[in-house]
Amino acid sequence: MAGVHYAGVSHRYPGADTLAVDSLELDIADGEFIVLVGPSGCGKSTSLRMLAGLESVESGHIDIGGVDVTSLAPRERDVAMVFQNYALYLNMTVGDNMGFALRNAGMSKADTAARVLDAAKMLELEPLLNRKPGKLSGGQRQRVAMGRAIVRQPKVFCMDEPLSNLDAKLRVSTRAQIAGLQKRLGTTTVYVTHDQVEAMTMGDRVAVLQAGKLQQIASPRELYDNPVNTFVASFIGSPGMNLIDAPVVDGAAVVGDIRIPAPTRDPRVTVGIRPESWSLRERSSAQSWSLRERSSAQSWDLVGKGVGAVEVAVELIEELGAESFLYGAPPLGSDWSTQSGRVSVRVDRRLSIGLAETVRLVPKLDEVFFFSATTGDRL
């Protein structure tokens, strides 16, 4: 096992005008599980492939265990790669696939068999060792690919979107299995995904990339609670944070009837409010909220009629079982707007609201974020 250090690492694909990865500075501790996350084309897979030696480094260097591996061939780096497409040999059994690299390295049949069996026990693959990949499910194939990496006992695991070919239910169970297995093995792991839910549930820390640049690296909780800019704020969270472009008048951001003291003298500011940080303003008695299985409206975090509010017309309702999300647009002619074009609000599933209905929202003021309207940086 060993730590990893990216020191100002850049990569440019042939013929490209811009860098795919731009001066990446990243320290990964020995035994840490770190996730690289971001949209397509942000440089996360390229960063991983440079670590594995599959892509060249234009500038900077990469250390593994304190040794500069920038110029070393992939086989000399002691890195095991797990790919999105499994990359199994279809003509070999599960056991032969898992032990292939060990046999190529000259390990004896007995030692190879022992390592394969140990890995198969960890991954619950013992009954499948004599099957061929064509007879396995997608989840089983992914476990075989993991086993092939584990038997090598490398310094670093590199995993490039290994769950993207699995169905939603299997992804949930497999990501828990991978995270638990990494804790047992204690091997430094760099994991790439475009799925921010996957990133938040698996990584010790998460590195968010955009356009080849590292935006922020922190624990999942820190990323959610303290995003450094609007990109991280909108990317982390499902749905992402509402980013509202609002005027600043007499030191306060004005959103609908709400005035929120703003830490800027600029004429406009971006106000960040997460979907769960809204409260619904209580209706009049003639239009009381319809609450299934409850009689007290106040139990659903509603606020009184005297509080200023933001009006939103409901355009979409997502029912997710334990909770619901409302999506709606600001009224025409408003002096405020959202970057996504809609406001998202989390409400309890037992609160009955219809499409096209206008709701009045009040933000929880201690959960409001402010960002520069020009740079997007946190204020």
Side-chain angles (χ1 to χ4, degrees), residues 134-255:
K135 302 294 184 181
L136 305 179
S137 68
Q140 290 169 334
R141 292 184 190 186
Q142 191 58 71
R143 280 187 283 154
V144 175
M146 285 287 300
R148 183 179 55 196
I150 290 168
V151 298
R152 290 182 52 193
Q153 299 179 357
K155 292 179 179 177
V156 180
F157 287 136
C158 291
M159 302 188 185
D160 191 5
E161 303 204 43
L163 306 184
S164 59
N165 287 338
L166 305 182
D167 63 62
K169 184 176 181 179
L170 193 54
R171 280 202 304 271
V172 173
S173 60
T174 307
R175 77 189 185 203
Q177 187 177 45
I178 289 175
L181 186 62
Q182 192 274 337
K183 297 303 181 190
R184 289 171 58 191
L185 296 172
T187 305
T188 305
T189 300
V190 184
Y191 186 104
V192 162
T193 181
H194 65 276
D195 185 338
Q196 60 92 21
V197 174
E198 205 170 285
M200 296 287 279
T201 55
M202 296 181 73
D204 297 324
R205 288 190 299 159
V206 178
V208 183
L209 288 89
Q210 181 194 31
K213 291 183 177 291
L214 178 64
Q215 302 295 308
Q216 185 175 2
I217 179 168
S219 68
R221 173 58 61 187
E222 179 69 12
L223 280 180
Y224 194 83
D225 289 343
N226 294 297
V228 297
N229 56 35
T230 53
F231 176 78
V232 177
S234 62
F235 193 82
I236 298 299
S238 181
M241 183 183 291
N242 295 288
L243 297 174
I244 300 170
D245 178 41
V248 178
V249 180
D250 296 331
V254 180
V255 183

Side-chain angles (χ1 to χ4, degrees), residues 13 19-22 24 36 38-50 192 209-213:
Y13 286 103
L19 292 168
V21 178
D22 189 352
L24 178 61
L36 306 182
S40 297
C42 71
K44 56 188 183 295
S45 290
T46 303
S47 300
L48 186 77
R49 291 173 64 84
M50 285 192 290
V192 162
L209 288 89
Q210 181 194 31
K213 291 183 177 291

Side-chain angles (χ1 to χ4, degrees), residues 17 20 22 26 53 62 79 82 100 107 147 202 223 227 232 252 260 302 304 332 345 371 374 379:
D17 295 328
D22 189 352
L26 183 59
I62 299 174
V79 169
V82 179
F100 183 75
M107 181 175 287
M202 296 181 73
L223 280 180
V232 177
I260 311 170
L302 305 184
L332 292 175
V345 186
F371 304 90
T374 53
L379 298 176

Side-chain angles (χ1 to χ4, degrees), residues 3 9 29 117 242 254 264 274 347:
V9 175
L117 184 59
N242 295 288
V254 180
T264 181
R274 291 211 177 271
V347 297

